[in-house]
Amino acid sequence: MSGAALGLEIVFVFFLALFLLHRYGDFKKQHRLVIIGTLLAWYLCFLIVFILPLDVSTTIYNRCKHAAANSSPTENSNITGFHATATPVPSQHPCFKPWSYIPDGIMPIFWRVVYWTSQFLTWILLPFMQSYARSGGFSITGKIKTALIENAIYYGTYLLIFGAFLIYVAVNPHLHLEWNQLQTIGIAAANTWGLFLLVLLLGYGLVEIPRSYWNGAKRGYLLMKTYFKAAKLMTEKADAEETLEDVMEEVRKVNESIKYNHPLRKCVDTILKKCPTEYQEKMGRNMDDYEDFDEKHNTYPSEKSLVKLHKQVIYSVQRHRRTQVQWQILLEQAFYLEDVAKNETSATHQFVHTFQSPEPENKFLQYFYNPTVEWYWECLLRPWFYRILAVVLSIFSVIVVWSECTFFSTTPVLSLFAVFIQLAEKTYNYIYIEIACFLSIFFLSICVYSTVFRIRVFNYYYLASHHQTDAYSLLFSGMLFCRLTPPLCLNFLGLTHMDSSISHQNTQPTAYTSIMGSMKVLSFIADGFYIYYPMLVVILCIATYFSLGTRCLNLLGFQQFMGDNDMTSDLVDEGKELIRREKRKRQRQEEGENRRREWKERYGHNREDSTRNRNVHVDPKESNLSDISTNRSSKYTRANNRTERDRIELLQDVEPLDFNAETFTDDPLESEPGRYQPGGRYLSMSHSRIFDDV
């Protein structure tokens, strides 16, 4: 089994990252390099989280083996399975090889490749790709130039920080510059930045995740919050439509001014390809390609302005498409939550949907998840399940906060994570060690990563599901993951006292901490910032519990969902009215479709049978006469087309009836006594109306 667990987790994590990227990204429309870069960043970060428990169990086994070898030199440690098969190990060291044991030499190489690849992605490649994807240039050279200019300040800041650490080491007489020390300085700088952001995100997630499940169990809470989101999303949707109209107006003006033989016409065609189809058709109909751009002395836009316009088109189209899809998804959620509220008082215990799902349901799933099971789950079991889950997550949050404040204490050991791991280490229960490590680091990762998926920096960074995330946001999320995951793992190893710099014990370190180097090169970071800064999570948790950030944003004008606010109540009422309006609209559409379907089923077969019988009983003489008349009429088709067109034009010029006339009858021919009638009389124009238009 050596290395098999590592291989299985590598494959599993790859498909997990691919699944999440498919949910948020769009493989068909987005550039392949963007997809590959984001997938690689997410994959490496998830891989670190899943492989680290195996590193911990392997390190504990190596410590046991090393201690056994030192205590009994004549020991024969030929161990092939879960228990020794040769000379037994003495009872004071009952160590045996874990099922997920990774041979020596593999993990250091593995961590070194994973870590430095992720650092290259987050500090060099992904920022460049981010600027390249957001650039409005029309050529590869132009996009690369724009990306280098935008990242010049970005890279200069990194060099400044690295130079500051370098000067500190050079001035210190007790330190001598070597390659390993320079490498440690770079790692310390990256981990310091990541730990600073990590504590901020962790303090929010430790409180918000349990609270979200607890509030989700309340009746009507999710529905009220959905109404609130509907009101805000409608405002954003209207703003996106207005922005798109303004940008398309600019594109129309540019399209009309730059003709087919203008040197910048290729740039305009590139912009038109990024526009929605309906706007492309409108601009194509109004375009006159036979005019030369030299005939009129007009002012033409420059290439720089076209680059700016191209960037605006990409952004506005993506935002408009995203708001449209999110609006439809939010409508489905609101309709479903309203159905849940209605079915809670159902006496039949059968869940009834107002609207049927447009997607065909899986028969296998429909058999087990029938309306009765759905009613018991949605109306009875799910609220209690959410409450229990919220309590469990709250206990985990309290353990994390306590351990973050006490992990530096080694005698006595106060960190609960370290207590659990040390108890399992005494009995060498590797399965328990790996499960405990995985659950702990998985909970920390959920608290941090879920905050990354939830935060929204205006409209520049926003992870939207259902394939609505743009390339800029995908690459930015990859950068954040690569910067947050290494300090997250180091913090976890510090909580469990597996990091020798925290536990101050002369024991074998894990392979992950060995590639990080000794932080003693920068003592003020190893003994100061890494130990005392995580205590700030207590203040952040208190601020999140009392919603101080939400209240501050609400005071600044960014409407947030708060139950005790008048603005929130107004937005909830507005969203409720919007949902009711959309619901009536969809009901009318379904009723119309049902009527058309019933009409076709009732009268469609009768009409087909009557036409079929009529065709069968046609007289041969009539068919011959019809053929003759068809041939005869084909000779005069061209001559009659003109008279037919004239007749249509005359009919189109006929004025409509005047319903304000004093005398009006059902038959207009009876009220005009001068025009010709079937009886031989002629009708004349009404003299009272002859000069009305003068």
Side-chain angles (χ1 to χ4, degrees):
M1 293 294 292
S2 297
L6 179 64
L8 290 176
E9 291 199 0
I10 288 175
V11 175
F12 172 76
V13 171
F14 175 77
F15 285 104
L16 176 63
L18 188 66
F19 169 75
L20 290 176
L21 184 59
H22 177 265
R23 177 177 174 80
Y24 287 89
D26 192 348
F27 291 170
K28 296 181 180 179
K29 296 182 180 180
Q30 288 172 343
H31 199 278
R32 293 182 180 177
L33 292 179
V34 174
I35 297 297
I36 293 174
T38 308
L39 177 62
L40 184 60
W42 289 16
Y43 173 60
L44 293 177
C45 295
F46 296 163
L47 198 61
I48 295 175
V49 173
F50 278 81
I51 301 299
L52 192 61
L54 303 184
D55 189 8
V56 172
S57 62
T58 302
T59 302
I60 292 176
Y61 169 73
N62 290 332
R63 289 178 181 178
C64 172
K65 185 172 63 173
H66 181 71
N70 292 335
S71 61
S72 55
T74 60
E75 176 187 358
N76 183 11
S77 58
N78 184 14
I79 304 171
T80 58
F82 287 95
H83 300 281
T85 56
T87 304
V89 181
S91 58
Q92 63 268 23
H93 297 290
C95 54
F96 54 88
K97 185 183 296 184
W99 72 278
S100 59
Y101 175 74
I102 300 174
D104 296 336
I106 294 179
M107 288 306 299
I109 298 175
F110 176 80
W111 287 130
R112 192 171 287 112
V113 171
V114 170
Y115 178 77
W116 289 111
T117 304
S118 63
Q119 295 305 300
F120 174 76
L121 288 174
T122 186
W123 298 108
I124 298 177
L125 184 60
L126 291 184
F128 178 81
M129 293 178 63
Q130 196 176 17
S131 301
Y132 183 89
R134 201 173 180 83
S135 174
F138 299 100
S139 61
I140 298 177
T141 306
K143 290 185 177 182
I144 292 176
K145 182 179 178 181
T146 304
L148 290 176
I149 293 174
E150 290 183 358
N151 286 276
I153 301 176
Y154 190 72
Y155 296 140
T157 305
Y158 297 156
L159 292 177
L160 182 63
I161 296 174
F162 183 75
F165 281 110
L166 197 63
I167 293 173
Y168 170 78
V169 176
V171 172
N172 195 340
H174 299 287
L175 298 176
H176 301 283
L177 290 177
E178 297 179 357
W179 170 248
N180 292 332
Q181 294 177 346
L182 291 177
Q183 181 178 346
T184 304
I185 292 174
I187 294 174
N191 290 336
T192 302
W193 191 97
L195 184 63
F196 177 79
L197 183 60
L198 174 68
V199 173
L200 298 178
L201 299 179
L202 186 62
Y204 176 82
L206 288 174
V207 176
E208 191 61 30
I209 291 179
R211 183 164 60 183
S212 63
Y213 282 102
W214 183 264
N215 291 331
K218 297 179 181 178
R219 290 189 176 183
Y221 176 84
L222 293 178
L223 186 57
M224 293 298 105
K225 194 170 183 179
T226 305
Y227 289 152
F228 178 83
K229 290 181 180 179
K232 290 189 64 176
L233 186 58
M234 176 55 73
T235 304
E236 183 182 356
K237 181 170 169 286
D239 185 44
E241 292 175 353
E242 184 179 354
T243 303
L244 182 63
E245 290 288 343
D246 295 339
V247 173
M248 291 299 106
E249 181 65 21
E250 294 293 330
V251 174
R252 184 190 63 80
K253 293 178 181 179
V254 170
N255 183 43
E256 292 178 354
S257 62
I258 297 180
K259 302 301 178 182
Y260 71 100
N261 54 351
H262 195 281
L264 297 177
R265 184 62 203 180
K266 293 182 179 180
C267 301
V268 177
D269 293 337
T270 303
I271 295 176
L272 289 176
K273 291 179 181 178
K274 304 295 177 62
C275 298
T277 307
E278 58 271 16
Y279 290 100
Q280 293 183 20
E281 294 176 354
K282 291 179 182 179
M283 296 174 190
R285 288 196 299 267
N286 298 329
M287 182 177 175
D288 189 4
D289 286 340
Y290 297 100
E291 290 187 22
D292 295 335
F293 72 94
D294 292 330
E295 292 181 358
K296 297 180 181 179
H297 301 284
N298 297 328
T299 56
Y300 299 101
S302 61
E303 185 177 359
K304 187 176 181 180
S305 62
L306 290 180
V307 169
K308 184 178 179 181
L309 181 62
H310 187 204
K311 187 176 180 179
Q312 292 176 351
V313 168
I314 295 173
Y315 170 73
S316 59
V317 171
Q318 172 66 27
R319 186 186 175 197
H320 178 262
R321 186 185 302 116
R322 185 185 68 222
T323 53
Q324 295 290 336
V325 174
Q326 286 180 334
W327 177 251
Q328 297 299 327
I329 296 171
L330 191 64
L331 286 179
E332 296 295 335
Q333 293 178 356
F335 295 156
Y336 188 76
L337 291 175
E338 288 181 347
D339 292 341
V340 172
K342 290 180 181 179
N343 285 274
E344 285 180 351
T345 58
S346 175
T348 59
H349 295 179
Q350 295 279 335
F351 197 92
V352 180
H353 293 269
T354 304
F355 303 106
Q356 296 297 328
S357 177
E359 300 179 358
E361 298 182 357
N362 189 358
K363 294 183 179 180
F364 180 78
L365 182 62
Q366 189 177 5
Y367 176 76
F368 290 97
Y369 194 66
N370 51 41
T372 303
V373 176
E374 186 175 5
W375 185 90
Y376 277 101
W377 167 249
E378 294 292 341
C379 302
L380 190 62
L381 298 179
R382 191 176 69 169
W384 287 104
F385 175 75
Y386 277 10
R387 291 188 184 97
I388 296 173
L389 183 61
V391 171
V392 173
L393 294 177
S394 300
I395 294 174
F396 267 96
S397 297
V398 172
I399 293 174
V400 171
V401 173
W402 172 262
S403 300
E404 290 286 355
C405 297
T406 59
F407 73 94
F408 57 87
S409 176
T410 56
T411 52
V413 178
L414 298 178
S415 175
L416 296 180
F417 289 106
V419 171
F420 296 152
I421 297 301
Q422 289 178 6
L423 288 176
E425 186 177 359
K426 292 180 180 179
T427 59
Y428 297 97
N429 191 347
Y430 298 108
I431 300 295
Y432 173 79
I433 292 173
E434 292 176 3
I435 293 176
C437 290
F438 176 76
L439 291 179
S440 303
I441 195 172
F442 183 74
F443 178 72
L444 293 174
S445 304
I446 290 296
C447 293
V448 175
Y449 293 163
S450 64
T451 309
V452 174
F453 279 95
R454 288 186 182 188
I455 61 175
R456 177 176 180 178
V457 184
F458 299 102
N459 288 318
Y460 294 98
Y461 170 73
Y462 181 37
L463 288 176
S465 58
H466 298 83
H467 322 291
Q468 299 305 312
T469 306
D470 57 350
Y472 184 89
S473 298
L474 286 176
L475 294 172
F476 190 73
S477 67
M479 291 167 52
L480 286 180
F481 285 165
C482 290
R483 296 179 189 182
L484 292 171
T485 305
L488 174 66
C489 294
L490 279 179
N491 181 256
F492 166 74
L493 293 175
L495 295 178
T496 56
H497 289 183
M498 295 297 295
D499 189 355
S500 58
S501 61
I502 301 297
S503 61
H504 303 289
Q505 296 177 359
N506 190 15
T507 56
Q508 182 181 358
T510 60
Y512 186 81
T513 54
S514 64
I515 68 164
M516 293 294 176
S518 177
M519 292 298 171
K520 295 180 180 179
V521 179
L522 302 172
S523 59
F524 71 94
I525 291 180
D527 299 332
F529 184 78
Y530 281 176
I531 292 178
Y532 297 106
Y533 179 72
M535 296 181 186
L536 188 63
V537 73
V538 179
I539 300 176
L540 295 172
C541 288
I542 295 174
T544 306
Y545 179 79
F546 290 103
S547 303
L548 297 182
T550 302
R551 297 180 188 276
C552 292
L553 290 175
N554 199 26
L555 291 176
L556 294 175
F558 301 97
Q559 287 82 13
Q560 303 294 318
F561 185 75
M562 299 175 61
D564 55 349
N565 193 359
D566 295 336
M567 181 62 70
T568 301
S569 301
D570 295 340
L571 289 176
V572 168
D573 295 338
E574 181 182 350
K576 189 174 183 179
E577 182 62 30
L578 290 172
I579 297 298
R580 186 184 295 113
R581 193 178 305 166
E582 293 291 335
K583 192 172 186 179
R584 289 198 301 264
K585 181 180 177 181
R586 183 170 295 188
Q587 286 175 348
R588 288 195 299 268
Q589 291 178 354
E590 287 194 356
E591 290 175 359
E593 292 178 358
N594 292 333
R595 285 196 299 268
R596 284 191 294 269
R597 191 182 302 111
E598 291 177 0
W599 188 86
K600 288 181 180 180
E601 293 177 356
R602 182 178 300 177
Y603 300 105
H605 299 293
N606 297 332
R607 176 174 293 185
E608 292 177 359
D609 295 339
S610 60
T611 53
R612 190 182 298 110
N613 295 331
R614 189 181 304 164
N615 294 332
V616 171
H617 296 289
V618 170
D619 191 359
K621 295 181 180 180
E622 293 181 359
S623 61
N624 294 333
L625 291 174
S626 63
D627 294 338
I628 295 172
S629 62
T630 303
N631 295 330
R632 184 179 299 172
S633 61
S634 62
K635 298 179 182 179
Y636 301 99
T637 302
R638 186 173 301 174
N640 292 334
N641 283 339
R642 183 174 180 181
T643 58
E644 188 67 25
R645 286 198 302 269
D646 295 339
R647 188 181 303 168
I648 292 173
E649 291 176 0
L650 289 173
L651 290 174
Q652 290 177 350
D653 293 336
V654 174
E655 296 182 358
L657 292 175
D658 185 9
F659 290 96
N660 295 324
E662 297 178 357
T663 59
F664 183 80
T665 59
D666 294 336
D667 190 0
L669 298 180
E670 296 179 359
S671 63
E672 298 182 4
R675 192 173 298 171
Y676 177 75
Q677 289 184 348
R681 295 181 291 109
Y682 284 88
L683 302 176
S684 60
M685 295 178 59
S686 174
H687 297 286
S688 62
R689 298 289 181 182
I690 193 170
F691 296 106
D692 284 355
D693 296 334
V694 177

